Amino acid sequence: AQSVTQLDSQVPVFEEAPVELRCNYSSSVSVYLFWYVQYPNQGLQLLLKYLSGSTLVKGINGFEAEFNKSQTSFHLRKPSVHISDTAEYFCAVNPLQGGSEKLVFGKGTKLTVNP
Amino acid sequence: DTGVSQDPRHKITKRGQNVTFRCDPISEHNRLYWYRQTLGQGPEFLTYFQNEAQLEKSRLLSDRFSAERPKGSFSTLEIQRTEQGDSAMYLCASSVGRGAGNTIYFGEGSWLTVV
């Protein structure tokens, strides 16, 4: 079975500051990794995903994430945030094998960007 | 490409009543998923279809829940004899092809409040 831990439930930052949202996962098999964003009263939108290759993945809206296999982490970063980045961010995993395509999500991190 | 569409967006029902949610996936997406999200939690997998075949069901999906995708296009999720614990957002998602690395596109969700 897989599990995802998002270490911070809430992260407040000031506009134009850098931010890192932390994600650790546990799995007995190799997994694909995803970050989704959810704006208030909306569904989830994919920010980026790691399948293979370079461990640094770039996504939409200036976000990037780095896969660290030894630390089983997939932290999300942005060098300078905007007010519009205020949202909830979810880390998710999906095992490579086993025939299942269900995402396992963390509990989310609420990012609040203040002026 | 109009995205994943869900209806109704909001539903308030009395305990014991039946409710049905509809999901229209992105055109030509052969895989369709249902997730449930409660306040303060990440989405949890309920079930998924490949075309009209229901391939996996979570243990969260009790006997009161049933999902169908009769012609491999839209899907319905019915909850019978609703309970207050069923209050949540029900998210539908779709993807094309096979493989755990495929991008899964989410709809905006259907909020259910059981009073």
Side-chain angles (χ1 to χ4, degrees):
Chain A
Q2 292 74 42
S3 67
V4 176
T5 302
Q6 292 185 241
L7 295 149
D8 305 295
S9 59
Q10 297 190 50
V11 173
V13 295
F14 288 110
E15 194 174 16
E16 297 184 6
V19 70
E20 179 179 79
L21 306 183
R22 297 180 293 167
C23 171
N24 286 88
Y25 68 93
S26 172
S27 176
S28 56
V29 300
S30 295
V31 294
Y32 294 128
L33 297 132
F34 304 80
W35 275 100
Y36 279 84
V37 60
Q38 187 175 34
Y39 298 103
N41 299 316
Q42 294 189 25
L44 285 79
Q45 179 182 5
L46 180 69
L47 275 178
L48 49 79
K49 62 182 177 181
Y50 174 77
L51 303 184
S52 65
S54 172
T55 57
L56 183 63
V57 181
K58 293 191 184 297
I60 62 171
N61 301 340
F63 283 93
E64 63 182 29
E66 184 148 24
F67 170 54
N68 187 318
K69 188 173 183 178
S70 62
Q71 296 187 5
T72 60
S73 68
F74 190 54
H75 300 333
L76 181 71
R77 295 191 289 257
K78 186 169 182 178
S80 175
V81 293
H82 302 292
I83 299 283
S84 59
D85 292 323
T86 295
E88 191 147 24
Y89 293 79
F90 292 94
C91 181
V93 301
N94 199 349
L96 270 68
Q97 292 140 353
S100 177
E101 288 189 14
K102 59 185 182 189
L103 291 168
V104 176
F105 286 88
K107 291 187 176 182
T109 297
K110 191 166 289 186
L111 174 65
T112 303
V113 181
N114 298 302
Chain B
D1 186 346
T2 58
V4 178
S5 177
Q6 293 189 242
D7 183 69
R9 293 290 316 280
H10 301 274
K11 178 74 175 179
I12 300 174
T13 191
K14 291 184 179 178
R15 188 160 48 104
Q17 298 293 305
N18 298 346
V19 296
T20 299
F21 299 111
R22 176 183 169 119
C23 172
D24 288 89
I26 294 171
S27 178
E28 298 183 0
H29 277 198
N30 59 334
R31 296 216 161 188
L32 185 146
Y33 311 80
W34 286 99
Y35 284 78
R36 181 171 68 186
Q37 185 178 16
T38 53
L39 284 174
Q41 302 294 318
E44 296 173 293
F45 171 82
L46 292 179
T47 187
Y48 89 97
F49 294 83
Q50 178 168 303
N51 300 314
E52 65 274 11
Q54 189 172 19
L55 295 188
E56 187 172 349
K57 292 197 297 185
S58 163
R59 276 172 274 178
L60 291 174
L61 216 63
S62 76
D63 291 344
R64 297 184 297 104
F65 288 71
S66 63
E68 294 182 343
R69 195 182 183 197
K71 296 183 180 179
S73 56
F74 74 91
S75 174
T76 58
L77 176 69
E78 181 183 18
I79 309 173
Q80 296 182 326
R81 304 181 304 281
T82 53
E83 302 173 356
Q84 286 190 322
D86 298 331
S87 295
M89 180 161 69
Y90 291 85
L91 288 160
C92 179
S94 69
S95 67
V96 63
R98 299 180 65 179
N102 285 340
T103 296
I104 297 176
Y105 297 86
F106 285 83
E108 294 194 329
S110 292
W111 277 104
L112 173 65
T113 302
V114 181
V115 296

